[in-house]
Amino acid sequence: MSPTNLIPIVLSLLLSPLVGQSVVAENGLLRVKGSRIVNREGTAVSLAGNSFFWSQWDHSGFWNPKCVAWLVDDWNSAIIRAPMGVEEPGGYLEKPEENERKLRTLVQAAVNEGVYVIIDWHSHYAEKSTAEAVEFFERMARSYGGLDHVIYEIYNEPKKTEWSEIKEYAETVIAAIRRIDPDKLIVVGTGEWSQEVDEPAADPITQWPNIAYTLHFYSDKHGQSLRDRADAALAQGIALFVTEWGPVGKRGKDPETEKWMAWCRKNKISHCVWSVNDKDEPYSIVRKGADPEGGWKPGDLRPAGELERSIISTWNENQ
């Protein structure tokens, strides 16, 4: 490991005694046990937090440490997701140094705040850039393999890719990570925008421990039928992680979101809501003009943000 890569780890170790009993200090390394994700004591945990927006399209500058600190302090976020865009214009394949620098900023901010962070290869076609993914995750494993805070999400949302292709890609990338980091949680995307969780349930990755699978949902598009599919996958013994979801965002209450949150509580599923952004779309949490460093007043939040903050800030109380 190079001296440069050691700096974030040394800083986090020096800072950790100053922040008290953080989420990560309390729970330690997350691992898969049957169909649940558990903490160091073997107790199933469900974490609630935020997903940021695509790294290359964060035009208002939300990918910064003060924003992470605000989400932890004001929203009670226990986990953040850093979706590093890959193939799309301006993404990692086009501008690797710029996007990786932004990602490392968010990872270190999460480490300093004592919360979990998902390093997300935010791709729809990851199998087409396997070599680049391997190289990237090897570098991440060397930098952060000693930190319990980090989770690797190696494929965001496959579109119409067959599970056999996703699995082949995943096994290649996982093998590269495991040669360096033997124990961190790795989350694998599933077919049709990470909804076909029945496919890995029938044909899971078995060569390595601590593998979970991605489930994504949006309450205006996905309901009971997807929950039924997820229940069946859990019953077959795989663990699920909702690395991305969104409410309708057009009103203060959303009955379908309430059903999804009840399902997550019942099954001890962790989740990150999309997205920390001010784009003019229902799923953005703040309005245009909101300070990207946080300090948001109620008027700064979109309806989705109001609903999501009420869910995340009370998540531990309502389990």
Side-chain angles (χ1 to χ4, degrees):
M1 183 180 293
S2 71
T4 301
N5 288 338
L6 280 170
I7 291 172
I9 296 174
V10 171
L11 285 175
S12 68
L13 292 173
L14 290 172
L15 288 169
S16 59
L18 303 178
V19 297
Q21 186 77 338
S22 68
V23 173
V24 175
E26 180 181 351
N27 290 285
L29 177 69
L30 300 179
R31 57 187 178 86
V32 171
K33 183 180 181 181
S35 61
R36 296 290 186 265
I37 294 172
V38 303
N39 64 15
R40 70 160 70 89
E41 305 299 330
T43 303
V45 294
S46 173
L47 308 169
N50 302 83
S51 176
F52 280 66
F53 196 63
W54 300 71
S55 56
Q56 75 270 40
W57 295 328
D58 175 48
H59 300 307
S60 297
F62 290 92
W63 283 54
N64 69 80
K66 289 185 178 180
C67 186
V68 173
W70 175 257
L71 291 169
V72 174
D73 293 340
D74 187 69
W75 285 51
N76 202 28
S77 296
I79 182 169
I80 67 162
R81 179 180 185 236
M84 189 187 70
V86 178
E87 306 96 357
E88 304 292 344
Y92 178 83
L93 297 183
E94 183 180 317
K95 298 180 178 180
E97 293 182 0
E98 178 181 322
N99 284 279
E100 184 172 325
R101 182 170 61 251
K102 292 184 72 172
L103 180 135
R104 286 180 179 273
T105 296
L106 225 57
V107 171
Q108 188 58 50
V111 170
N112 290 345
E113 296 298 326
V115 298
Y116 293 96
V117 57
I118 300 173
I119 296 176
D120 168 26
W121 186 256
H122 203 70
S123 169
H124 295 309
Y125 311 98
E127 71 280 354
K128 297 181 180 180
S129 55
T130 301
E132 291 85 351
V134 165
E135 182 182 27
F136 170 79
F137 280 106
E138 286 178 336
R139 202 157 52 249
M140 295 298 102
R142 291 189 187 100
S143 293
Y144 305 115
L147 297 176
D148 290 343
H149 308 67
V150 169
I151 297 166
Y152 307 110
E153 183 179 7
I154 64 174
Y155 200 155
N156 163 46
E157 281 183 348
K159 284 193 175 180
K160 296 188 180 297
T161 311
E162 296 293 329
W163 171 244
S164 59
E165 293 181 78
I166 300 169
K167 185 179 182 183
E168 181 180 3
Y169 158 84
E171 289 176 337
T172 301
V173 176
I174 293 168
I177 294 172
R178 287 291 185 247
R179 284 193 289 268
I180 302 166
D181 182 349
D183 56 8
K184 294 297 173 300
L185 179 62
I186 297 175
V187 186
V188 179
T190 58
E192 195 65 27
W193 306 89
S194 281
Q195 289 149 37
E196 293 180 341
V197 291
D198 50 319
E199 294 183 343
D203 182 24
I205 295 167
T206 58
Q207 295 96 314
W208 304 274
N210 219 10
I211 308 298
Y213 299 89
T214 308
L215 174 67
H216 287 176
F217 66 83
Y218 284 81
S219 66
D220 54 341
K221 300 179 178 68
H222 310 114
Q224 189 60 49
S225 62
L226 184 55
R227 287 192 290 276
D228 290 342
R229 181 186 293 177
D231 281 334
L234 291 171
Q236 288 183 266
I238 67 168
L240 299 178
F241 201 125
V242 177
T243 60
E244 180 181 319
W245 72 275
V248 172
K250 295 181 180 178
R251 55 187 183 275
K253 291 182 70 64
D254 180 358
E256 198 60 50
T257 286
E258 292 175 4
K259 293 176 183 177
W260 273 112
M261 294 299 98
W263 180 85
C264 286
R265 291 189 189 96
K266 174 185 175 183
N267 293 289
K268 292 292 184 180
I269 304 292
S270 295
H271 56 91
C272 294
V273 69
W274 183 268
S275 68
V276 181
N277 191 40
D278 62 357
K279 183 181 177 182
D280 187 18
E281 67 176 18
Y283 307 118
S284 298
I285 66 173
V286 294
R287 303 180 188 278
K288 283 289 184 184
D291 190 336
E293 294 185 347
W296 305 320
K297 299 176 176 61
D300 292 325
L301 300 179
R302 289 180 174 272
E306 294 175 5
L307 175 61
E308 293 156 11
R309 183 181 179 278
S310 70
I311 291 169
I312 294 171
S313 63
T314 61
W315 189 253
N316 289 335
E317 301 169 15
N318 293 329
Q319 291 193 70

